[in-house]
Amino acid sequence: ILNVEQSPQSLHVQEGDSTNFTCSFPSSNFYALHWYRWETAKSPEALFVMTLNGDEKKKGRISATLNTKEGYSYLYIKGSQPEDSATYLCAFGGFKTIFGAGTRLFVKA
Amino acid sequence: EPEVTQTPSHQVTQMGQEVILRCVPISNHLYFYWYRQILGQKVEFLVSFYNNEISEKSEIFDDQFSVERPDGSNFTLKIRSTKLEDSAMYFCASSDPLAGTTYEQYFGPGTRLTVT
């Protein structure tokens, strides 16, 4: 059974702190690794899709890295802002995606 | 900006009834997906659909479920004989395989299905 694990489950930080989360996934049959940002009462918003080992992607203050050989990806947020408060989901797969449970980030002003 | 839309936003049905959840994917997208999230649990993949055929499906997607693209814009999920455990938020998503990021999916706002 394919499983995607995310840690930590939740995280409370102060405004301005930098933070990172981990996503672990199977290291075989890799197609893609997705990161989503999900705010309450909204739909998941795609942040990154990574397909190659060693991929690094960046969008503003958010960046992500990928290691397909060891089966992990990191998401980094630099200088967290209250508007970054959301659940961050990772998902493994191409046209059939397995989701992790998410990391719930709370950023306090 | 183009977006995926879903109707209705909330559907209440009685156990044993059939429901149809509707989605309008982004117009130039060719891959379509259904997911669900039971309250407090992970988002679960149900099915992906391409070229009028199911591309992939999960173990959850049994004979109770079916998908259809009845016209050039809608993508539907039919749940026959609903059960209490079908109560969940159902998300539709679409992706463009011709884009630079083939697997990037755009999600709709979801339909909350409540089975009583």
Side-chain angles (χ1 to χ4, degrees):
Chain A
I1 296 176
L2 296 176
N3 201 22
V4 175
E5 300 287 345
Q6 289 189 248
S7 62
Q9 189 174 357
S10 66
L11 195 55
H12 292 252
V13 302
Q14 291 289 130
E15 183 176 358
D17 287 351
S18 293
T19 187
N20 65 85
F21 325 131
T22 303
C23 174
S24 301
F25 53 86
S27 54
S28 59
N29 297 319
F30 181 84
Y31 288 95
L33 193 283
H34 311 245
W35 281 102
Y36 293 91
R37 181 172 178 274
W38 194 4
E39 292 182 71
T40 304
K42 294 188 179 180
S43 50
E45 174 197 354
L47 289 172
F48 306 113
V49 180
M50 294 183 286
T51 56
L52 298 175
N53 183 43
D55 255 355
E56 292 188 23
K57 299 241 176 170
K58 187 174 181 183
K59 186 182 286 190
R61 295 179 290 100
I62 305 177
S63 60
T65 61
L66 177 68
N67 184 323
T68 61
K69 293 186 188 306
E70 295 181 38
Y72 65 84
S73 174
Y74 295 133
L75 186 79
Y76 301 92
I77 303 179
K78 186 177 177 182
S80 302
Q81 300 296 309
E83 56 266 31
D84 295 329
S85 297
T87 297
Y88 291 83
L89 296 174
C90 77
F92 167 82
F95 300 116
K96 178 178 182 179
T97 43
I98 310 300
F99 278 78
T103 292
R104 189 105 188 262
L105 175 66
F106 300 90
V107 183
K108 189 175 179 183
Chain B
E1 187 173 325
E3 58 183 20
V4 177
T5 59
Q6 290 185 243
T7 54
S9 57
H10 190 190
Q11 172 95 45
V12 181
T13 190
Q14 287 193 326
M15 198 166 49
Q17 297 296 305
E18 174 182 287
V19 295
I20 297 176
L21 309 183
R22 290 183 166 78
C23 168
V24 179
I26 293 172
S27 63
N28 61 327
H29 285 189
L30 300 177
Y31 266 93
F32 315 117
Y33 311 80
W34 283 103
Y35 297 88
R36 76 175 186 189
Q37 189 193 30
I38 296 169
L39 192 62
Q41 297 185 23
K42 292 182 180 182
V43 173
E44 298 174 294
F45 169 82
L46 294 177
V47 66
S48 59
F49 189 87
Y50 173 72
N51 200 25
N52 284 320
E53 289 184 346
I54 289 174
S55 176
E56 302 270 5
K57 63 181 181 178
S58 71
E59 301 75 23
I60 303 167
F61 194 88
D62 58 21
D63 293 343
Q64 187 195 4
F65 296 89
S66 61
V67 288
E68 193 179 27
R69 186 150 164 86
D71 53 42
S73 59
N74 288 283
F75 179 51
T76 62
L77 174 69
K78 183 188 290 186
I79 309 175
R80 287 180 277 276
S81 189
T82 49
K83 299 176 273 196
L84 294 176
E85 53 265 39
D86 294 326
S87 295
M89 181 73 91
Y90 288 80
F91 290 100
C92 172
S94 67
S95 67
D96 177 6
L98 301 179
T101 49
T102 302
Y103 300 117
E104 183 170 4
Q105 296 178 30
Y106 294 80
F107 278 71
T111 292
R112 179 162 295 287
L113 176 66
T114 302
V115 183
T116 61

